[in-house]
Amino acid sequence: MLNVIKKKVASFNDKDKDCILCFNEIALKCNLFYNRTADEVVGFHEVLGTKSFRPVNSALIIMTRGVYQNWKQPIGYFLINNVCSSEDLKNVIFTAISHLQDTGLNVV
C-alpha cells in the first residue's frame, strides 16, 4: 500500500504533500476464530506484531488526510482490548510518521 501512496505522492506539489494523522476507535463484538491458512487464532489484542491473549473488543484505525488538498487514505488498523497503552500508541504514531515520510508526505 505504501508503494501505491508513494507513486501518487510523486505527482503532488510541495503544499499538497502536507498531511495529518487521524485516529479512530470502533467497538467490535468479541469473537475468536481459527485461520487455517495462517494456522493461528485471530481475535486477540495485537499492536505492531506484539500479541497478548486478551480478546479484542475494539479496533484502532489510522488514517492520513491532506491539509490543503481534499484527500484521505486509511493506512492501518490494530485490534485491541479496551484501550491501547500509551507506549503502544507512541510506537504506532512514530512508526506511521516514519512510513509516511518515506513515501514523500510531510506530516504536520
Side-chain angles (χ1 to χ4, degrees):
M1 177 192 60
L2 291 173
N3 289 332
V4 173
I5 294 173
K6 194 176 206 173
K7 288 180 184 177
K8 181 67 177 173
V9 168
S11 67
F12 286 2
N13 65 39
D14 287 341
K15 193 174 181 181
D16 293 344
K17 292 180 183 179
D18 289 344
C19 67
I20 60 170
L21 280 179
C22 304
F23 291 84
N24 195 9
E25 188 176 343
I26 60 170
L28 302 172
K29 280 187 177 180
C30 244
N31 196 2
L32 300 175
F33 72 94
Y34 178 70
N35 181 343
R36 264 190 194 162
T37 309
D39 189 29
E40 69 176 340
V41 177
V42 178
F44 289 116
H45 178 98
E46 184 174 357
V47 176
L48 294 176
T50 304
K51 185 183 279 191
S52 65
F53 295 101
R54 295 177 294 169
V56 167
N57 59 9
S58 300
L60 177 67
I61 295 99
I62 306 166
M63 183 168 41
T64 185
R65 183 179 182 103
V67 174
Y68 298 106
Q69 286 287 69
N70 188 20
W71 61 268
K72 58 185 171 182
Q73 176 67 49
I75 58 171
Y77 68 91
F78 298 96
L79 301 175
I80 58 176
N81 177 277
N82 290 327
V83 295
C84 194
S85 73
S86 59
E87 187 66 27
D88 284 343
L89 192 56
K90 179 187 89 167
N91 291 334
V92 167
I93 290 170
F94 284 122
T95 301
I97 290 172
S98 173
H99 285 307
L100 289 173
Q101 288 175 337
D102 288 345
T103 65
L105 290 171
N106 179 31
V107 183
V108 292

